[in-house]
Amino acid sequence: MAAPTFPLNAWYVVAWSHEVGKRSILARTICNKRVALWRRADNSLAAVEDACWHRLAPLSLGWIENDDVVCKYHGLRFNGQGACTLMPSQDSISPGACVKAFPVLDRHRFVWIWPGDPAKADASLVPDMHWNDDPAWTGDGKTMFAKCDYRLFVDNLMDLTHETFVHSTSIGNTAVAETPMETTHDGKSVTVQRFMQDIDAPPFWRAQLGKPGNVDRWQIIRFEPPCTIVLDVGVAPTGTGALQGDRSQGVNLRVLNTISPETETTCMYFWSLVRNYKLHDVTLTTLQRETNASIFVEDQIVIEAQQQRISEMPDMPLRTLNIDAGSFRARKIIERMIAEEA
Ligand code: FES
Ligand SMILES: [Fe+2]
């Protein structure tokens, strides 16, 4: 059997908070587990295995009644803890009738689920994406369902050198690939930084800044295992001190990314693009979200094609260059988490 590619004892985003409601059941796959999600009347979340205890019909085909999910096939009911609460045509409930329930919570506009041992689910371990609902920031995002190993997106985000080649019409130019980066790690996170001085601004950044002249540009990438990556990125007019810490003359974005494995070769990529300027400009929010979505499609095309080759050539190694230092470290942490569960 092939080695596991993801740990189970971790929080993964399974949906945007607004996608899980009280009247319908959302079906998702996370780490090879089928999950049915809904909300109770008090807005709390419920997540159970999406296969009925009776004959394995998907519970997501059913409906919600008094906070419980009703199986569409023969009407068994289960509560959010997975216990059967009603069996039609019999007075008592068969002992042991239950489905697996998953720890689940709302945080930073996302629904996070813990597919592993429920006893280990510690809410303080949810990766930090607070910019997504911080009043000092605004923005929006989307979900990409991609046909690839989630770690290929981790690789992609931990090394933004690819912007020069994949995104040359928007956020990339030669300055990105020409500037070396610095990688640091502490066992719990990995940080990659790249500071570009006195460069031409790529088209997307020129438009955001709205000023002529060369810029200083920063990219600070932070990985939290197993699959959350926050980009602190921006540009400012050259020499205004942005690279020394004064960003007041520039523009600053956070790109929030978390890529949850559905299976070994498919994933759900949740992302959000947030800014700390022009907070009430709704048109800008839409424009930025749609621009970013089209930039990310450029990644998806390359990475899904890469996955096809990887699947066709399972014995070929993925080689590691200087530019891969960040993803190398990130993958080491993922490997360690998987090994600890073995
Ligand atoms: S399969 Fe669900 S009630 Fe029979
Ligand atoms: Fe990209």
Side-chain angles (χ1 to χ4, degrees):
M1 214 172 85
T5 58
F6 40 75
L8 295 177
N9 288 326
W11 290 107
Y12 290 98
V13 171
V14 68
W16 287 81
S17 288
H18 67 79
E19 292 182 292
V20 184
K22 295 172 188 167
R23 278 189 279 279
S24 61
I25 307 162
L26 182 70
R28 286 276 152 94
T29 302
I30 188 90
C31 299
N32 285 327
K33 296 178 191 303
R34 303 286 195 180
V35 180
L37 299 128
W38 72 98
R39 279 184 200 279
R40 303 181 186 88
D42 67 0
N43 223 35
S44 63
L45 287 160
V48 301
E49 189 148 29
D50 192 13
C52 180
W53 173 82
H54 179 218
R55 293 293 177 105
L56 303 186
L59 292 172
S60 56
L61 295 179
W63 60 90
I64 307 299
E65 224 167 279
N66 297 329
D67 285 350
D68 292 356
V69 62
V70 182
C71 179
K72 184 184 173 74
Y73 200 1
H74 314 98
L76 262 71
R77 280 190 201 186
F78 300 89
N79 66 21
Q81 284 81 45
C84 182
T85 55
L86 187 119
M87 277 181 182
S89 307
Q90 59 184 69
D91 295 336
S92 62
I93 292 170
S94 307
C98 65
V99 289
K100 184 177 163 53
F102 299 93
V104 62
L105 54 83
D106 284 297
R107 186 145 330 154
H108 312 319
R109 292 172 68 189
F110 292 123
V111 174
W112 299 80
I113 194 167
W114 182 277
D117 178 358
K120 297 200 164 100
D122 175 351
S124 71
L125 300 176
V126 174
D128 182 14
M129 298 185 100
H130 75 271
W131 301 270
N132 218 23
D133 54 6
D134 182 330
W137 294 78
T138 193
D140 202 9
K142 287 191 167 185
T143 310
M144 178 202 297
F145 290 86
K147 292 184 184 64
C148 66
D149 182 332
Y150 75 106
R151 294 173 304 177
L152 297 184
F153 272 110
V154 172
D155 298 342
N156 169 271
L157 290 159
M158 292 305 286
D159 167 33
L160 298 180
T161 309
H162 78 270
E163 288 184 353
T164 303
F165 310 99
V166 179
H167 310 301
S168 59
T169 59
S170 54
I171 54 174
N173 61 11
T174 52
V176 182
E178 281 168 0
T179 311
M181 23 185 208
E182 187 191 306
T183 304
T184 52
H185 61 98
D186 62 9
K188 290 200 199 91
S189 69
V190 181
T191 303
V192 177
Q193 306 187 82
R194 184 180 246 143
F195 297 110
M196 292 155 267
Q197 240 176 327
D198 198 11
I199 64 162
D200 185 25
F204 172 85
W205 284 111
R206 176 69 67 207
Q208 294 307 308
L209 186 61
K211 297 173 189 171
N214 273 10
V215 298
D216 294 339
R217 180 180 183 187
W218 67 92
Q219 294 173 329
I220 302 169
I221 307 164
R222 185 164 186 275
F223 166 84
E224 264 194 272
C227 50
T228 296
I229 296 154
V230 173
L231 310 183
D232 169 357
V233 288
V235 299
T238 294
T240 55
L243 304 188
Q244 291 72 41
D246 176 8
R247 296 170 172 182
S248 59
Q249 306 304 306
V251 283
N252 192 186
L253 294 169
R254 287 289 188 291
V255 194
L256 313 174
N257 309 274
T258 191
I259 311 103
S260 305
E262 290 181 315
T263 68
E264 284 75 11
T265 52
T266 59
C267 59
M268 295 179 280
Y269 179 177
F270 299 91
W271 60 265
S272 186
L273 184 70
V274 295
R275 65 180 185 276
N276 62 357
Y277 54 94
K278 296 187 181 169
L279 291 184
H280 303 291
D281 190 338
V282 183
T283 309
L284 180 60
T285 299
T286 304
L287 182 68
Q288 286 190 334
R289 185 191 63 221
E290 295 309 315
T291 303
N292 201 62
S294 56
I295 291 171
F296 280 7
V297 168
E298 295 173 334
D299 294 297
Q300 185 180 11
I301 290 166
V302 175
I303 292 173
E304 288 187 341
Q306 178 193 14
Q307 176 66 64
Q308 280 190 16
R309 288 294 181 273
I310 290 171
S311 298
E312 290 162 12
M313 308 164 83
D315 299 327
M316 291 300 287
L318 302 183
R319 298 191 172 89
T320 301
L321 304 176
N322 287 350
I323 55 172
D324 302 306
S327 75
F328 176 79
R329 285 293 158 201
R331 281 183 178 244
K332 282 282 171 216
I333 296 177
I334 296 170
E335 278 168 27
R336 194 190 66 215
M337 292 174 79
I338 294 169
E340 282 167 4
E341 292 178 6

